[in-house]
Amino acid sequence: MSELFSYTAYRQLLQFLSAIIFFHGSEYILALAIHGPNVTLKSLLISKNYLLAMVCSLIEYLVEIYLFPELKEYWYINNLGLAMVIIGEIIRKLAILTAGQAFTHLIKISHEEHHKLVTHGVYRFVRHPGYCGFFVWSIGTQIMLCNPISTVAFAFVVWQFFSQRIPYEEYFLRQFFGPRYEEYAVGLPSGIPFVK
């Protein structure tokens, strides 16, 4: 039982909770700053499935630190996860700041006046840097906790989500921007592995 109150557990759980609070708090603050006061709590990006995933990852962490405390002592794995969380956060926030009003948490299905094709900044390297950042961040949270099961589960579930979302979103981007989007997208990766 002392494993639950060890330095390792405090450090890892504090990093995990800090990452979650910072990610969602900064998403909401940026949405307010960019889109104004009509932003809803949906900009916190917290769904039932997301909460379930996070609770499952905490359960895995607590079970493993109790039964296999040595599994959580690989500081280099923890630090790799922390680095991924920071890198993912930076990529995502750069995507939001670069796109400005063109970045929304919900896919636009009709073209709005302020909606422009963003091809500079981090968008020069990948078509969907916001998704790329979240993908790296979410997997990093589990590597940071040294959670082998949740690491694989998060990678699969988040990849599956984006493998469906990206083609859906790009259908509308092609409708809005036509050949300009096609020209931009040629040879540029999506930002999610194995998703064209």
Side-chain angles (χ1 to χ4, degrees), residues 46-71:
I46 300 173
S47 66
K48 290 178 188 173
N49 290 338
Y50 177 83
L51 286 174
L52 178 63
M54 289 302 177
V55 167
C56 287
S57 75
L58 279 174
I59 290 170
E60 177 187 353
Y61 182 84
L62 295 173
V63 167
E64 288 172 355
I65 200 163
Y66 181 72
L67 296 176
F68 313 106
E70 65 281 356
L71 183 66

mmCIF file of all heavy atoms in Angstrom, residues 46-71:
data_model
loop_
_atom_site.group_PDB
_atom_site.id
_atom_site.type_symbol
_atom_site.label_atom_id
_atom_site.label_comp_id
_atom_site.label_asym_id
_atom_site.label_seq_id
_atom_site.Cartn_x
_atom_site.Cartn_y
_atom_site.Cartn_z
ATOM 1 N N ILE A 46 -14.100 17.618 -23.533
ATOM 2 C CA ILE A 46 -14.262 16.526 -22.579
ATOM 3 C C ILE A 46 -15.585 15.829 -22.880
ATOM 4 O O ILE A 46 -16.653 16.412 -22.720
ATOM 5 C CB ILE A 46 -14.232 17.042 -21.122
ATOM 6 C CG1 ILE A 46 -12.888 17.719 -20.850
ATOM 7 C CG2 ILE A 46 -14.480 15.910 -20.150
ATOM 8 C CD1 ILE A 46 -12.788 18.407 -19.505
ATOM 9 N N SER A 47 -15.484 14.580 -23.328
ATOM 10 C CA SER A 47 -16.679 13.789 -23.638
ATOM 11 C C SER A 47 -16.763 12.613 -22.663
ATOM 12 O O SER A 47 -15.828 12.344 -21.896
ATOM 13 C CB SER A 47 -16.589 13.253 -25.069
ATOM 14 O OG SER A 47 -15.522 12.318 -25.156
ATOM 15 N N LYS A 48 -17.865 11.884 -22.721
ATOM 16 C CA LYS A 48 -18.012 10.696 -21.871
ATOM 17 C C LYS A 48 -16.940 9.668 -22.202
ATOM 18 O O LYS A 48 -16.358 9.065 -21.292
ATOM 19 C CB LYS A 48 -19.405 10.085 -22.061
ATOM 20 C CG LYS A 48 -20.518 10.922 -21.486
ATOM 21 C CD LYS A 48 -21.866 10.277 -21.765
ATOM 22 C CE LYS A 48 -22.984 11.236 -21.362
ATOM 23 N NZ LYS A 48 -24.293 10.728 -21.761
ATOM 24 N N ASN A 49 -16.674 9.476 -23.490
ATOM 25 C CA ASN A 49 -15.651 8.502 -23.882
ATOM 26 C C ASN A 49 -14.263 8.925 -23.400
ATOM 27 O O ASN A 49 -13.460 8.098 -22.975
ATOM 28 C CB ASN A 49 -15.638 8.319 -25.400
ATOM 29 C CG ASN A 49 -16.867 7.598 -25.889
ATOM 30 O OD1 ASN A 49 -17.522 6.884 -25.141
ATOM 31 N ND2 ASN A 49 -17.192 7.781 -27.157
ATOM 32 N N TYR A 50 -13.990 10.216 -23.468
ATOM 33 C CA TYR A 50 -12.706 10.732 -22.997
ATOM 34 C C TYR A 50 -12.569 10.505 -21.490
ATOM 35 O O TYR A 50 -11.532 10.034 -21.013
ATOM 36 C CB TYR A 50 -12.596 12.220 -23.336
ATOM 37 C CG TYR A 50 -11.335 12.869 -22.830
ATOM 38 C CD1 TYR A 50 -10.149 12.776 -23.554
ATOM 39 C CD2 TYR A 50 -11.322 13.571 -21.636
ATOM 40 C CE1 TYR A 50 -8.986 13.361 -23.087
ATOM 41 C CE2 TYR A 50 -10.174 14.162 -21.170
ATOM 42 C CZ TYR A 50 -9.003 14.058 -21.895
ATOM 43 O OH TYR A 50 -7.853 14.635 -21.426
ATOM 44 N N LEU A 51 -13.620 10.840 -20.746
ATOM 45 C CA LEU A 51 -13.571 10.633 -19.290
ATOM 46 C C LEU A 51 -13.387 9.160 -18.955
ATOM 47 O O LEU A 51 -12.614 8.811 -18.057
ATOM 48 C CB LEU A 51 -14.842 11.173 -18.631
ATOM 49 C CG LEU A 51 -14.952 12.689 -18.547
ATOM 50 C CD1 LEU A 51 -16.316 13.095 -18.012
ATOM 51 C CD2 LEU A 51 -13.846 13.259 -17.673
ATOM 52 N N LEU A 52 -14.086 8.294 -19.665
ATOM 53 C CA LEU A 52 -13.952 6.856 -19.445
ATOM 54 C C LEU A 52 -12.514 6.405 -19.697
ATOM 55 O O LEU A 52 -11.943 5.639 -18.913
ATOM 56 C CB LEU A 52 -14.927 6.085 -20.343
ATOM 57 C CG LEU A 52 -14.855 4.572 -20.254
ATOM 58 C CD1 LEU A 52 -15.235 4.097 -18.857
ATOM 59 C CD2 LEU A 52 -15.767 3.936 -21.299
ATOM 60 N N ALA A 53 -11.920 6.893 -20.775
ATOM 61 C CA ALA A 53 -10.537 6.529 -21.093
ATOM 62 C C ALA A 53 -9.585 6.981 -19.989
ATOM 63 O O ALA A 53 -8.690 6.230 -19.572
ATOM 64 C CB ALA A 53 -10.129 7.132 -22.439
ATOM 65 N N MET A 54 -9.767 8.200 -19.511
ATOM 66 C CA MET A 54 -8.884 8.713 -18.458
ATOM 67 C C MET A 54 -9.079 7.951 -17.147
ATOM 68 O O MET A 54 -8.107 7.669 -16.432
ATOM 69 C CB MET A 54 -9.107 10.218 -18.259
ATOM 70 C CG MET A 54 -8.583 11.054 -19.406
ATOM 71 S SD MET A 54 -6.814 10.765 -19.669
ATOM 72 C CE MET A 54 -6.501 11.774 -21.078
ATOM 73 N N VAL A 55 -10.311 7.616 -16.814
ATOM 74 C CA VAL A 55 -10.570 6.833 -15.595
ATOM 75 C C VAL A 55 -9.928 5.453 -15.727
ATOM 76 O O VAL A 55 -9.287 4.961 -14.789
ATOM 77 C CB VAL A 55 -12.096 6.737 -15.308
ATOM 78 C CG1 VAL A 55 -12.387 5.690 -14.251
ATOM 79 C CG2 VAL A 55 -12.625 8.098 -14.869
ATOM 80 N N CYS A 56 -10.073 4.816 -16.885
ATOM 81 C CA CYS A 56 -9.450 3.502 -17.105
ATOM 82 C C CYS A 56 -7.931 3.586 -16.978
ATOM 83 O O CYS A 56 -7.305 2.688 -16.414
ATOM 84 C CB CYS A 56 -9.838 2.941 -18.475
ATOM 85 S SG CYS A 56 -11.544 2.362 -18.548
ATOM 86 N N SER A 57 -7.341 4.670 -17.485
ATOM 87 C CA SER A 57 -5.885 4.800 -17.381
ATOM 88 C C SER A 57 -5.463 4.996 -15.921
ATOM 89 O O SER A 57 -4.427 4.467 -15.506
ATOM 90 C CB SER A 57 -5.366 5.939 -18.265
ATOM 91 O OG SER A 57 -5.631 7.196 -17.716
ATOM 92 N N LEU A 58 -6.269 5.708 -15.145
ATOM 93 C CA LEU A 58 -5.951 5.860 -13.719
ATOM 94 C C LEU A 58 -6.110 4.536 -12.973
ATOM 95 O O LEU A 58 -5.301 4.217 -12.090
ATOM 96 C CB LEU A 58 -6.844 6.935 -13.087
ATOM 97 C CG LEU A 58 -6.400 8.371 -13.312
ATOM 98 C CD1 LEU A 58 -7.437 9.348 -12.775
ATOM 99 C CD2 LEU A 58 -5.046 8.625 -12.672
ATOM 100 N N ILE A 59 -7.141 3.779 -13.324
ATOM 101 C CA ILE A 59 -7.323 2.465 -12.698
ATOM 102 C C ILE A 59 -6.130 1.566 -13.021
ATOM 103 O O ILE A 59 -5.582 0.895 -12.142
ATOM 104 C CB ILE A 59 -8.659 1.821 -13.132
ATOM 105 C CG1 ILE A 59 -9.825 2.596 -12.512
ATOM 106 C CG2 ILE A 59 -8.712 0.344 -12.746
ATOM 107 C CD1 ILE A 59 -11.189 2.213 -13.060
ATOM 108 N N GLU A 60 -5.722 1.554 -14.303
ATOM 109 C CA GLU A 60 -4.544 0.758 -14.667
ATOM 110 C C GLU A 60 -3.342 1.200 -13.844
ATOM 111 O O GLU A 60 -2.605 0.368 -13.305
ATOM 112 C CB GLU A 60 -4.215 0.900 -16.157
ATOM 113 C CG GLU A 60 -2.955 0.136 -16.526
ATOM 114 C CD GLU A 60 -2.452 0.349 -17.941
ATOM 115 O OE1 GLU A 60 -3.149 1.004 -18.744
ATOM 116 O OE2 GLU A 60 -1.353 -0.143 -18.243
ATOM 117 N N TYR A 61 -3.136 2.505 -13.742
ATOM 118 C CA TYR A 61 -1.990 3.018 -13.007
ATOM 119 C C TYR A 61 -2.018 2.538 -11.554
ATOM 120 O O TYR A 61 -1.022 2.026 -11.040
ATOM 121 C CB TYR A 61 -1.950 4.549 -13.046
ATOM 122 C CG TYR A 61 -0.746 5.093 -12.332
ATOM 123 C CD1 TYR A 61 0.478 5.180 -12.988
ATOM 124 C CD2 TYR A 61 -0.809 5.472 -10.997
ATOM 125 C CE1 TYR A 61 1.613 5.638 -12.327
ATOM 126 C CE2 TYR A 61 0.312 5.931 -10.330
ATOM 127 C CZ TYR A 61 1.517 6.013 -10.997
ATOM 128 O OH TYR A 61 2.647 6.452 -10.345
ATOM 129 N N LEU A 62 -3.152 2.696 -10.895
ATOM 130 C CA LEU A 62 -3.252 2.334 -9.474
ATOM 131 C C LEU A 62 -3.085 0.837 -9.258
ATOM 132 O O LEU A 62 -2.416 0.412 -8.303
ATOM 133 C CB LEU A 62 -4.577 2.841 -8.900
ATOM 134 C CG LEU A 62 -4.719 4.369 -8.863
ATOM 135 C CD1 LEU A 62 -6.127 4.765 -8.441
ATOM 136 C CD2 LEU A 62 -3.673 4.996 -7.949
ATOM 137 N N VAL A 63 -3.670 0.022 -10.124
ATOM 138 C CA VAL A 63 -3.520 -1.433 -10.003
ATOM 139 C C VAL A 63 -2.056 -1.823 -10.198
ATOM 140 O O VAL A 63 -1.496 -2.609 -9.424
ATOM 141 C CB VAL A 63 -4.435 -2.171 -11.016
ATOM 142 C CG1 VAL A 63 -4.068 -3.642 -11.126
ATOM 143 C CG2 VAL A 63 -5.903 -2.013 -10.610
ATOM 144 N N GLU A 64 -1.428 -1.262 -11.231
ATOM 145 C CA GLU A 64 -0.042 -1.631 -11.518
ATOM 146 C C GLU A 64 0.928 -1.132 -10.452
ATOM 147 O O GLU A 64 1.876 -1.835 -10.107
ATOM 148 C CB GLU A 64 0.371 -1.113 -12.896
ATOM 149 C CG GLU A 64 -0.280 -1.881 -14.016
ATOM 150 C CD GLU A 64 -0.046 -1.294 -15.390
ATOM 151 O OE1 GLU A 64 0.559 -0.212 -15.497
ATOM 152 O OE2 GLU A 64 -0.475 -1.929 -16.359
ATOM 153 N N ILE A 65 0.701 0.058 -9.915
ATOM 154 C CA ILE A 65 1.642 0.549 -8.902
ATOM 155 C C ILE A 65 1.485 -0.235 -7.604
ATOM 156 O O ILE A 65 2.438 -0.380 -6.840
ATOM 157 C CB ILE A 65 1.539 2.071 -8.666
ATOM 158 C CG1 ILE A 65 2.831 2.564 -8.011
ATOM 159 C CG2 ILE A 65 0.328 2.435 -7.815
ATOM 160 C CD1 ILE A 65 3.069 4.030 -8.079
ATOM 161 N N TYR A 66 0.305 -0.786 -7.389
ATOM 162 C CA TYR A 66 0.087 -1.610 -6.196
ATOM 163 C C TYR A 66 0.674 -3.014 -6.394
ATOM 164 O O TYR A 66 1.368 -3.532 -5.525
ATOM 165 C CB TYR A 66 -1.404 -1.697 -5.882
ATOM 166 C CG TYR A 66 -1.697 -2.503 -4.647
ATOM 167 C CD1 TYR A 66 -1.392 -2.004 -3.381
ATOM 168 C CD2 TYR A 66 -2.264 -3.769 -4.739
ATOM 169 C CE1 TYR A 66 -1.643 -2.758 -2.245
ATOM 170 C CE2 TYR A 66 -2.520 -4.524 -3.614
ATOM 171 C CZ TYR A 66 -2.199 -4.015 -2.366
ATOM 172 O OH TYR A 66 -2.449 -4.755 -1.248
ATOM 173 N N LEU A 67 0.403 -3.637 -7.563
ATOM 174 C CA LEU A 67 0.840 -5.010 -7.813
ATOM 175 C C LEU A 67 2.278 -5.108 -8.347
ATOM 176 O O LEU A 67 2.990 -6.061 -8.044
ATOM 177 C CB LEU A 67 -0.108 -5.702 -8.793
ATOM 178 C CG LEU A 67 -1.548 -5.891 -8.322
ATOM 179 C CD1 LEU A 67 -2.392 -6.498 -9.429
ATOM 180 C CD2 LEU A 67 -1.587 -6.747 -7.062
ATOM 181 N N PHE A 68 2.658 -4.148 -9.184
ATOM 182 C CA PHE A 68 3.977 -4.177 -9.829
ATOM 183 C C PHE A 68 4.642 -2.806 -9.728
ATOM 184 O O PHE A 68 4.865 -2.147 -10.746
ATOM 185 C CB PHE A 68 3.847 -4.556 -11.313
ATOM 186 C CG PHE A 68 2.960 -5.739 -11.576
ATOM 187 C CD1 PHE A 68 1.696 -5.565 -12.121
ATOM 188 C CD2 PHE A 68 3.393 -7.025 -11.275
ATOM 189 C CE1 PHE A 68 0.873 -6.647 -12.365
ATOM 190 C CE2 PHE A 68 2.586 -8.112 -11.519
ATOM 191 C CZ PHE A 68 1.316 -7.932 -12.059
ATOM 192 N N PRO A 69 4.966 -2.352 -8.525
ATOM 193 C CA PRO A 69 5.503 -0.990 -8.379
ATOM 194 C C PRO A 69 6.776 -0.745 -9.185
ATOM 195 O O PRO A 69 7.021 0.377 -9.624
ATOM 196 C CB PRO A 69 5.759 -0.857 -6.877
ATOM 197 C CG PRO A 69 5.758 -2.247 -6.341
ATOM 198 C CD PRO A 69 4.912 -3.073 -7.257
ATOM 199 N N GLU A 70 7.561 -1.792 -9.412
ATOM 200 C CA GLU A 70 8.804 -1.619 -10.173
ATOM 201 C C GLU A 70 8.524 -1.207 -11.619
ATOM 202 O O GLU A 70 9.357 -0.573 -12.263
ATOM 203 C CB GLU A 70 9.650 -2.904 -10.138
ATOM 204 C CG GLU A 70 9.033 -4.113 -10.815
ATOM 205 C CD GLU A 70 7.966 -4.864 -10.009
ATOM 206 O OE1 GLU A 70 7.701 -4.511 -8.837
ATOM 207 O OE2 GLU A 70 7.378 -5.797 -10.575
ATOM 208 N N LEU A 71 7.339 -1.524 -12.128
ATOM 209 C CA LEU A 71 6.949 -1.146 -13.494
ATOM 210 C C LEU A 71 6.892 0.378 -13.656
ATOM 211 O O LEU A 71 7.116 0.893 -14.743
ATOM 212 C CB LEU A 71 5.586 -1.759 -13.825
ATOM 213 C CG LEU A 71 5.027 -1.543 -15.215
ATOM 214 C CD1 LEU A 71 5.890 -2.254 -16.257
ATOM 215 C CD2 LEU A 71 3.597 -2.070 -15.293
#
